Amino acid sequence: MKFDRPATTNPIDQLRVIGQPVDRVDGPLKTTGVARYAYEHHDAAPNAAYGYVVGSAIAKGRIASIDLAAVKAAPGVLAIVTAENAGTFGKGDRNTARLLGGPQIEHYHQAVALVVADSFEQARAAAELLRVNYAPETGAFDLNAVKGDAKPAKVMSDPGDTAVGDFASAFAAAPVKIDETYTTPDESHAMMEPHASIAAWDGDRLTLWTSNQMIAWGVGDLAKTLNMPKDNIRLLSPYIGGGFGSKLFLRTDAVLAALGARAAGRPVKVTLQRALLFNNTTHRPATIQRIRIGAAKDGKITAIGHESWSGDLPDGDPEAAVSQTRLLYAGPNRMTATRLAVLDLPEGNAMRAPGEASGMMALEVAIDEIAEKLGLDPVEFRIRNDTQTVPDVSAKPGDKAAPAMPFSQRQLVECFRTGAEKFGWSKRSARPGAVRDGRWLVGMGAAAAFRNNILTKSAARVRLEQDGKVVVETDMTDIGTGSYTIIAQTAAEMIGVPLQRVSVRLGDSRFPVSAGSGGQWGGNNSTAGVYAACVKLRDAIAGKIGFNSAEADFVDGSVRAGNRSVPLADAVRGGSLQAEDGIEYGDISKKAQQSTFGAHFVEVGVDAATAEIRVRRMLAVCAAGRILNPKTARSQVIGAMTMGVGAALMEELVVDDKIGFFVNHDLAGYEVPVHADIPHQDVIFLDETDPMSSPMKAKGVAELGICGVAGAVANAVYNATGIRVRDYPVTLEKLIDRMPPVG
Amino acid sequence: MKPFSYQRATSPAEAAAAAARVEGAKFVAGGTNLLDLMKLQIETPQHLIDVNGIGMDRIEPIPEGGLRVGALVRNTDLAADQRVRRDYAVLSRALLAGANQQLRNQATTAGNLLQRTRCPYFYDTNQPCNKRKPGSGCSAIGGYSRQLAVVGVSDACIATHPSDMAVAMRVLDAAVETVGADGGTRSIPIADFHRLPGDTPQIETTLRPGELITAVTLPKPVGGTHLYRKVRDRASFAFALISVAAIVQRDGSGRVALGGVAHKPWRVEAAEQELPRGAKAVASKLLANATPTDHNAYKLPLVERTLGSVLAEAKG
């Protein structure tokens, strides 16, 4: 199905099932332990041996020699895979570093060997006997030190730099201005389920049970890495214990499980031990961001400039931290710039809302800083600088001469107004450090939330079985987001059956290729693909029983038109009916800018003595198209808000720039929020449908929820204490010297 | 994890004798720290002696008017004991500030005292660490040291002791009772139990080879207001950046010990004379010879400010 014009009324608008806060259909499977995760397919591969990954002990250099003798002699060892003995293997299109290092080592904990044994304990014990002699080389590990060498870099398909009007003159002439530099640290996804895979060969055909957000990408890159045809690979990833972007790509576990199984001559399972997750996989790269904003006395932005520096391995990508600044606030004179330095740290890549999450951490503090200089309430300042058209026309190449591009929907102002009222923003003291509650200094902060909505094609297969069941098959993944549920709701709505009659099968490369899960594009696109397949199935059903599907209603297990009603069962008397189709987008995304908007409000307490910061309550107001399931959407947003608190207050992969690695590579050293850190969260979804987004009229929301949170927290800390911290995470040692005296 | 042999002990004395007999033997009780370290090949015992199930799991009054806490009393039970909550509240509060409920259910009194450091370099077997591999060097000095020690450090090691419980026991003047390999028993004042790193950071206590902790005794209650303040980046399940254990009497006198600043619970009795003069005076004595790094210099003002807050709270 081609989607190239705004959606009109369609069966989804009935909202009998869609839009209802139904429980997750996969919930009971997960709470009872029935859902099998990547490492748990004992039934499918009952005799799997265990692989244990050995990570490089140096950050950069070469393996001079590697001694396998003691490992080979260890009890239970079946095979050892190293770059030396693995035969020719390549690298996936989406991988920057190779997934099995040697002789060249590109980063710390890059895999150098897989030890395969009968038991996990044997594999681990044997792995510890591996002797690798390294010839280390010096590397670059400190972003600040190499910032001057950073080069201009493109941001995905967009330009890295943009310019509109005359930023330099306008900024110089602005009566009120700020020029500040902010830093965000490297962060780890730190999801619950580590990367894990089981590989089984049948001749030259490979089956891989894994934990991967993007099935088709995984198949493609695995085929390329192993130099084999894609058709000979079956990849299954039905349940995923969190990804946040770390499982967008093929990783070490999958490649080494495949190589290990080939070497051992039997299925092999590999999970990355927790200590490897931080340096072996990808992470959100650190940024240095300079923001300059000039404003007129009336509180209107006249000049806004945002520059970002980040680092990555050679041929890597920058963090797209300036993207939102091209779209969020008005202002006639603008510039953005993206610079990328070479660092020999592990590979930087996507983590929940890549680009915006980091960029908003800086931008939304800068906005508060200029508002304060103007003597304006920071929420009022944001409202005053709203725009209903894309302010940075140069952000869209080729569109320079085009008339101003509208947003398909933009309710940023409504988000702020609603949130301010619900949160009690009017009670905020404009003077920082003025509110005290016992030992706590109390402050409120706000920030915009912003994240683009991405359209990408997605296909599905839908079948009406003779027993009345509707089966949906697509290679879409559910990374804990609720994909199973909203897909079931879509099919139930379209075919007119109760939710319980719909069976959804996901995460199998034998199913039609979907959008996959990432960039908050999964929900809208994958359900739109299911919608397309359901339209086709409705045609088939209607044809069987003599209806014109365009005029028929599919309701309560029947097809109805006029005064005629026929049970669905009549259509499948001769056998089940199946349809396959997908959604494909024309140039509709070029007709209007599709973005999602929100407003975050946070209240913090800062211990007056210790400067410990604790969040007291949070509110997010989101305008993100039709909310397909308010319950699963809310879960996504509160999870994202929690992650934002982590980014604001504690998450930091600490770089040891002598050794060249992230030091705190376990969950004791890399802290993420615990329940006690998150006492109260509210989410409000504004009523919105976006006919430009898809027949579902939905957009992404899962990443919107993190964008801006950290800025709101930092702004609240400032409001509580009068201390502005521009280097994340905002930890007590950055406040302690400026706190008021104790007592 | 290296393969190891395993035995269940039948009595404390027999456990101690076995430990002295078998080279590379270690006791295991709750296992909350040891098993993690074994999986990471940081601890590589040849032989484990399981001391669970041989008694030592009661909290009993002693004739002198204190409590004898068996080595195997779980942290949860110790924190919840009515006598502890009434007479040694600082201990109950310290225990509840540590770890999480599941770990406290499993962790024992003796095991808590013997926790190894949480220095990140100790945890990475690729990196030099004098504590893990004597003589290999210290990666933390000149490395990442935000969490690490500011007093009592050496050129060999700047690790901290991670226990909250031990800080409270230090302020309570507890004593560690043991049985040795020869069957002899002794009582070690908590002040002498943990060592500073010096040139031998791998030796963390004054226990002798094979010596088994059987109990910790808490002396007669001293009254006063008991407070434990743990400062950390998140609200729960985090190791202390610093912590303060305090017992403050109505007349303003009292005792203070610090966690998170040294290789052992940190108490300087002379500093307590300064209590009437306030937190600044006490902190300056407590941290008199501090040698912080750039990363952990914040601990000095943090100690003083936290102490100030604790003393204010004690006044009510």
Side-chain angles (χ1 to χ4, degrees):
Chain A
M1 175 184 287
K2 191 96 170 168
F3 184 78
D4 50 11
R5 278 173 309 181
T8 53
T9 302
N10 66 43
I12 295 296
D13 295 320
Q14 300 170 111
L15 302 181
R16 289 195 184 94
V17 195
I18 285 290
Q20 303 302 317
V22 301
D23 290 346
R24 286 157 63 131
V25 298
D26 51 331
L29 296 177
K30 290 179 174 174
T31 52
T32 57
V34 173
R36 286 188 197 270
Y37 287 82
Y39 204 62
E40 300 175 332
H41 293 276
H42 320 296
D43 53 338
N47 62 335
Y50 292 79
Y52 193 84
V53 179
V54 180
S56 168
I58 63 164
K60 192 181 182 191
R62 295 176 64 81
I63 295 175
S65 65
I66 188 161
D67 182 0
L68 308 180
V71 186
K72 279 184 182 158
V77 170
L78 301 167
I80 308 161
V81 177
T82 66
E84 212 173 20
N85 68 20
T88 52
F89 63 96
K91 193 180 81 173
D93 291 338
R94 294 171 185 82
N95 297 122
T96 305
R98 285 170 314 133
L99 298 177
L100 176 58
Q104 205 66 37
I105 296 298
E106 295 162 284
H107 63 85
Y108 193 74
H109 274 175
Q110 184 174 29
V112 297
L114 180 80
V115 178
V116 181
D118 281 319
S119 75
F120 175 79
E121 289 74 15
Q122 287 172 329
R124 181 174 59 190
E128 283 153 357
L129 301 173
L130 187 72
R131 291 293 162 259
V132 185
N133 291 316
Y134 296 98
E137 293 162 19
T138 55
F141 308 112
D142 178 359
L143 175 61
N144 203 40
V146 297
K147 182 177 171 237
D149 303 327
K151 303 276 189 305
K154 280 185 69 166
V155 173
M156 313 283 280
S157 56
D158 289 336
D161 294 10
T162 61
V164 174
D166 182 351
F167 171 78
S169 303
F171 182 71
V176 182
K177 61 181 114 181
I178 61 132
D179 178 355
E180 297 292 352
T181 297
Y182 307 84
T183 64
T184 64
D186 298 284
E187 290 175 11
S188 180
H189 308 81
M191 65 287 168
M192 190 80 81
E193 181 203 31
H195 299 77
S197 294
I198 302 176
W201 291 89
D202 178 10
D204 59 358
R205 305 183 76 84
L206 172 66
T207 304
L208 189 84
W209 295 267
T210 189
S211 186
N212 189 296
Q213 299 172 221
M214 302 291 296
I215 301 300
W217 290 4
V219 170
D221 275 346
L222 185 56
K224 190 161 185 208
T225 304
L226 298 180
N227 196 23
M228 64 185 284
K230 279 200 277 192
D231 289 347
N232 285 1
I233 295 173
R234 183 176 179 197
L235 197 148
L236 299 106
S237 187
Y239 298 106
I240 297 167
F244 309 124
S246 74
K247 296 170 181 169
L248 284 169
F249 315 109
L250 183 73
R251 296 302 316 168
T252 301
D253 57 305
V255 173
L256 290 188
L259 292 172
R262 192 153 67 188
R266 63 190 254 203
V268 166
K269 59 199 300 185
V270 175
T271 185
L272 289 187
Q273 52 268 36
R274 183 64 67 179
L276 284 188
L277 287 186
F278 301 83
N279 285 283
N280 175 276
T281 72
T282 60
H283 66 278
R284 189 199 299 283
T287 65
I288 299 169
Q289 301 179 48
R290 181 190 186 196
I291 297 181
R292 286 173 288 173
I293 303 174
K297 291 261 164 61
D298 65 356
K300 291 278 179 66
I301 295 171
T302 55
I304 183 163
H306 192 166
E307 298 154 84
S308 174
W309 292 260
S310 59
D312 203 356
L313 289 164
D315 303 321
D317 291 313
E319 184 66 17
V322 304
S323 296
Q324 73 289 321
T325 307
R326 299 167 182 170
L327 296 165
L328 191 49
Y329 296 112
N333 302 289
R334 340 175 48 95
M335 64 82 67
T336 62
T338 307
R339 298 290 175 268
L340 175 63
V342 171
L343 285 179
D344 299 298
L345 290 170
E347 175 181 341
N349 215 315
M351 177 168 148
R352 200 173 202 168
E356 281 96 332
S358 304
M360 297 286 278
M361 287 169 83
L363 177 65
E364 287 303 292
V365 174
I367 290 288
D368 258 46
E369 296 204 55
I370 185 84
E372 188 184 38
K373 272 203 173 175
L374 285 158
L376 279 175
D377 177 88
V379 167
E380 170 58 25
F381 177 78
R382 287 175 172 86
I383 290 172
R384 213 171 274 192
N385 285 284
D386 185 45
T387 172
Q388 290 295 315
T389 57
V390 172
D392 190 337
V393 290
S394 70
K396 296 279 160 191
D399 285 2
K400 273 189 184 170
M405 178 141 113
F407 288 89
S408 62
Q409 299 280 339
R410 180 173 166 124
Q411 297 197 72
L412 179 64
V413 170
E414 292 76 5
C415 288
F416 273 113
R417 292 231 159 94
T418 303
E421 192 194 319
K422 298 278 182 193
F423 199 70
W425 183 253
S426 62
K427 295 193 185 76
R428 171 184 176 269
S429 165
R431 190 166 59 83
V435 180
R436 182 125 185 184
D437 176 10
R439 55 186 252 223
W440 299 98
L441 303 171
V442 180
M444 287 189 211
F450 174 89
R451 176 81 171 141
N452 279 334
N453 184 57
I454 296 167
L455 301 183
T456 177
K457 66 180 183 178
S458 191
R461 186 154 65 216
V462 188
R463 192 163 56 248
L464 178 62
E465 306 274 19
Q466 285 188 283
D467 62 3
K469 261 207 184 125
V470 175
V471 178
V472 186
E473 293 172 335
T474 164
D475 85 353
M476 180 60 189
T477 49
D478 189 324
I479 58 175
T481 40
S483 308
Y484 277 105
T485 310
I486 57 172
I487 285 173
Q489 287 175 272
T490 303
E493 189 86 60
M494 291 298 290
I495 309 301
V497 297
L499 196 62
Q500 299 71 21
R501 294 256 295 274
V502 181
S503 165
V504 179
R505 298 178 188 162
L506 301 182
D508 184 336
S509 59
R510 288 190 177 169
F511 299 154
V513 175
S514 73
S517 298
Q520 75 168 16
W521 64 60
N524 177 53
N525 292 296
S526 72
T527 53
V530 173
Y531 169 93
C534 285
V535 167
K536 215 168 181 180
L537 182 62
R538 284 163 63 112
D539 289 346
I541 293 167
K544 275 276 177 202
I545 50 179
F547 280 88
N548 175 354
S549 70
E551 290 162 9
D553 287 329
F554 287 61
V555 184
D556 294 339
S558 301
V559 187
R560 295 174 194 162
N563 53 11
R564 193 170 158 236
S565 175
V566 176
L568 282 172
D570 285 10
V572 285
R573 278 193 208 289
S576 65
L577 289 173
Q578 178 170 293
E580 182 172 333
D581 199 4
I583 195 84
E584 282 184 57
Y585 301 93
D587 61 354
I588 194 156
S589 66
K590 297 199 173 68
K591 291 177 183 157
Q593 173 63 37
Q594 294 191 24
S595 304
T596 60
F597 296 88
H600 287 292
F601 292 84
V602 175
E603 182 180 284
V604 302
V606 181
D607 189 300
T610 64
E612 287 164 291
I613 302 162
R614 300 288 182 255
V615 170
R616 294 158 71 102
R617 60 194 181 99
M618 309 176 77
L619 167 67
V621 184
C622 303
R626 170 175 283 153
I627 298 304
L628 302 174
N629 180 332
K631 185 177 269 186
T632 55
R634 179 180 185 277
S635 289
Q636 283 302 293
V637 175
I638 64 174
M641 290 158 76
T642 304
M643 211 167 192
V645 170
L649 298 180
M650 61 193 83
E651 290 188 45
E652 177 179 17
L653 285 168
V654 179
V655 178
D656 181 317
D657 58 20
K658 292 193 190 68
I659 297 169
F661 76 149
F662 298 130
V663 188
N664 48 338
H665 51 66
D666 61 30
L667 288 176
Y670 187 86
E671 290 182 10
V672 298
V674 295
H675 283 90
D677 291 304
I678 309 291
H680 187 84
Q681 294 175 315
D682 268 331
V683 182
I684 296 170
F685 295 112
L686 294 190
D687 201 16
E688 181 176 299
T689 51
D690 193 335
M692 304 291 276
S693 71
S694 81
M696 304 302 293
K697 303 172 188 171
K699 290 190 285 203
V701 72
E703 297 189 337
L704 179 67
I706 189 175
C707 296
V709 173
V713 173
N715 290 335
V717 170
Y718 176 76
N719 185 241
T721 62
I723 301 167
R724 184 66 75 184
V725 178
R726 300 186 182 87
D727 300 298
Y728 290 99
V730 183
T731 44
L732 60 82
E733 72 268 35
K734 296 169 187 170
L735 302 170
I736 195 91
D737 290 335
R738 289 181 278 168
M739 291 289 285
V742 179
Chain B
M1 186 184 280
K2 277 197 170 160
F4 58 90
S5 53
Y6 170 90
Q7 77 175 93
R8 278 185 181 280
T10 55
S11 74
E14 187 257 356
R21 205 165 49 235
V22 187
E23 200 184 333
K26 281 234 167 214
F27 302 116
V28 62
T32 57
N33 194 206
L34 179 63
L35 296 186
D36 280 353
L37 294 169
M38 287 170 67
K39 290 173 190 170
L40 295 167
Q41 191 103 337
I42 295 162
E43 294 269 17
T44 54
Q46 307 285 314
H47 183 66
L48 279 192
I49 301 165
D50 187 339
V51 295
N52 290 293
I54 56 169
M56 310 194 296
D57 57 355
R58 310 268 287 273
I59 305 173
E60 297 164 323
I62 50 176
E64 303 83 50
L67 285 179
R68 186 170 189 275
V69 180
L72 293 178
V73 172
R74 308 284 153 171
N75 288 177
T76 297
D77 297 330
L78 183 56
D81 186 274
Q82 287 301 321
R83 295 159 293 184
V84 173
R85 291 176 61 185
R86 186 187 62 217
D87 297 331
Y88 308 97
V90 66
L91 176 57
S92 189
R93 289 179 168 187
L95 281 159
L96 293 175
N100 59 25
Q101 187 67 59
Q102 291 89 336
L103 285 169
R104 292 194 296 267
N105 288 344
Q106 180 71 7
T108 64
T109 305
N112 192 320
L113 288 174
L114 297 176
Q115 282 182 82
R116 312 286 319 263
T117 185
R118 291 286 167 170
C119 174
Y121 299 95
F122 177 71
Y123 272 80
D124 189 330
T125 51
N126 290 327
Q127 306 309 331
C129 170
N130 287 321
K131 186 182 278 298
R132 178 169 29 77
K133 196 174 173 196
S136 62
C138 174
S139 310
I141 296 173
Y144 174 57
S145 55
R146 177 174 183 259
Q147 302 257 359
L148 302 181
V150 295
V151 282
V153 300
S154 72
D155 291 341
C157 182
I158 58 171
T160 52
H161 194 267
S163 171
D164 293 298
M165 183 196 80
V167 182
M169 287 183 167
R170 179 70 183 88
V171 88
L172 287 167
D173 277 334
V176 181
E177 294 188 356
T178 67
V179 58
D182 58 359
T185 61
R186 64 171 177 149
S187 175
I188 309 167
I190 187 82
D192 301 332
F193 182 76
H194 292 106
R195 298 175 75 255
L196 288 178
D199 296 332
T200 54
Q202 74 278 15
I203 304 171
E204 292 167 355
T205 69
T206 50
L207 288 173
R208 297 170 189 144
E211 193 171 8
L212 175 72
I213 299 173
T214 52
V216 173
T217 53
L218 304 174
K220 205 172 140 193
V222 296
T225 300
H226 288 223
L227 295 171
Y228 188 78
R229 182 78 64 82
K230 181 176 184 178
V231 181
R232 44 187 159 175
D233 291 320
R234 65 181 176 190
S236 177
F237 202 29
F239 294 97
L241 298 171
I242 65 121
S243 68
V244 173
I247 300 174
V248 184
Q249 305 296 342
R250 277 192 182 191
D251 64 2
S253 68
R255 305 174 179 185
V256 174
L258 304 177
V261 299
H263 200 253
K264 57 189 285 187
W266 193 253
R267 185 171 168 201
V268 178
E269 274 83 347
E272 291 160 9
Q273 307 305 317
E274 305 291 330
L275 274 169
R277 277 183 285 283
K280 192 180 179 69
V282 179
S284 69
K285 279 256 163 87
L286 270 170
L287 303 173
N289 297 308
T291 51
T293 66
D294 289 349
H295 290 165
N296 65 25
Y298 73 92
K299 290 193 176 190
L300 275 52
L302 184 58
V303 164
E304 184 189 318
R305 296 179 65 92
T306 309
L307 198 51
S309 176
V310 166
L311 295 179
E313 187 181 342
K315 259 187 215 160

